[in-house]
Amino acid sequence: MNTNVKILIADDEERWRRLVGDFLRNEGFKTIEAANGQEAVELIRQDSDISMAILDIMMPVMDGIQACQTIRSFSQIPIIMLTAKSDENSEVMGFVCGADEYISKPIKFPIFIARVKALLKRSVALRSQVEVAGICIDPDAHTVTVDGQEVSLTPREFELLLYVAQNKNIALSRQQILSAVWNFDYYGDARTVDTHVKNLRMKLGSHGSALKTVRGRGYKLEG
């Protein structure tokens, strides 16, 4: 059971809040509700026990995009964007503002619950500081330092580096990396991993060589 995990549901439709809340509570989660983005932001500021936020994009007072951006200015809790919109621009905006997942209504609840659990599990894994090959990763502060100097990474680059660091010296396939970092529902080209690895190596400078290519397999971080 997940009785110690509290999830915020922010949606201006009470019916949807109750429906989503029922499914989450059936899985043992605690829930708290907000009717608009501003209320969601204030609740997260006030309640440090909130472990995840589920935000509808179309809300009054402050919409989900604005709420997500504001929350990201002071918190790194997992955020799922929930919306009736299914167009690509809305999804892009959801990720640009700092959301971890984007789910369109109507919700397929078994998949929704699986995403919630996967995201929470990944969030817990991010809390332990990791140091490999002179690279220090602080999940709580969401920072990476190399020889004491902070390196600026995109959120996806950060998660990729953390994943290979947590599995140091293990050869990981591109599909394994995609599943862990981009999540199980990613259907894009696996070569996106190659692009992110290339960028990571550049940003890590001389320590980038620790991120090795494993021929016929994928990548591993040696340390």
Side-chain angles (χ1 to χ4, degrees):
M1 297 293 282
N2 308 282
T3 53
N4 293 323
V5 177
K6 185 187 292 185
I7 299 176
L8 170 72
I9 306 165
D11 194 311
D12 60 323
E13 294 186 42
E14 184 179 1
R15 177 179 63 88
W16 271 105
R17 296 200 304 270
R18 288 182 178 178
L19 183 60
V20 174
D22 284 345
F23 275 92
L24 291 172
R25 287 187 292 272
N26 286 340
E27 293 294 322
F29 296 108
K30 294 179 181 178
T31 63
I32 185 172
E33 297 181 9
N36 59 65
Q38 183 173 314
E39 187 178 336
V41 170
E42 292 307 314
L43 285 170
I44 293 171
R45 286 189 189 276
Q46 297 165 12
D47 191 345
S48 60
D49 290 335
I50 295 175
S51 301
M52 172 183 283
I54 298 171
L55 308 176
D56 185 63
I57 285 186
M58 300 299 290
M59 292 189 289
V61 186
M62 179 187 289
D63 66 29
I65 298 294
Q66 293 171 312
C68 182
Q69 290 173 323
T70 305
I71 293 166
R72 277 289 170 260
S73 70
F74 65 87
S75 174
Q76 291 299 319
I77 65 170
I79 296 175
I80 294 177
M81 303 300 292
L82 187 66
T83 180
K85 288 187 174 180
S86 59
D87 61 283
E88 190 174 283
N89 288 337
S90 294
E91 185 169 354
V92 170
M93 282 299 296
F95 287 126
V96 167
C97 78
D100 298 278
E101 288 285 353
Y102 184 98
I103 300 175
S104 297
K105 299 174 183 176
I107 298 171
K108 296 180 180 178
F109 279 99
I111 295 176
F112 170 72
I113 293 298
R115 289 188 180 187
V116 167
K117 291 180 177 179
L119 196 52
L120 285 169
K121 183 178 179 181
R122 193 167 70 196
S123 177
V124 170
L126 285 171
R127 292 174 189 167
S128 301
Q129 186 166 307
V130 179
E131 188 167 0
V132 180
I135 304 164
C136 184
I137 308 166
D138 188 334
D140 286 332
H142 218 261
T143 58
V144 173
T145 55
V146 176
D147 294 334
Q149 296 295 315
E150 187 170 338
V151 177
S152 178
L153 301 180
T154 66
R156 198 69 76 181
E157 289 168 351
F158 180 88
E159 290 193 26
L160 193 160
L161 179 60
L162 181 63
Y163 179 63
V164 294
Q166 289 172 331
N167 294 276
K168 68 176 182 178
N169 298 320
I170 298 174
L172 301 165
S173 69
R174 290 171 177 81
Q175 191 57 53
Q176 282 178 300
I177 295 171
L178 280 173
S179 296
V181 178
W182 277 261
N183 218 324
F184 58 82
D185 60 338
Y186 181 82
Y187 297 109
D189 195 326
R191 285 177 296 182
T192 190
V193 175
D194 301 335
T195 301
H196 280 73
V197 167
K198 180 181 178 180
N199 292 339
L200 261 180
R201 284 172 173 160
M202 291 177 60
K203 291 184 177 182
L204 295 174
S206 61
H207 292 267
S209 60
L211 187 50
K212 304 288 188 182
T213 299
V214 181
R215 189 179 297 275
R217 177 66 177 171
Y219 299 98
K220 69 176 178 179
L221 185 64
E222 290 187 347

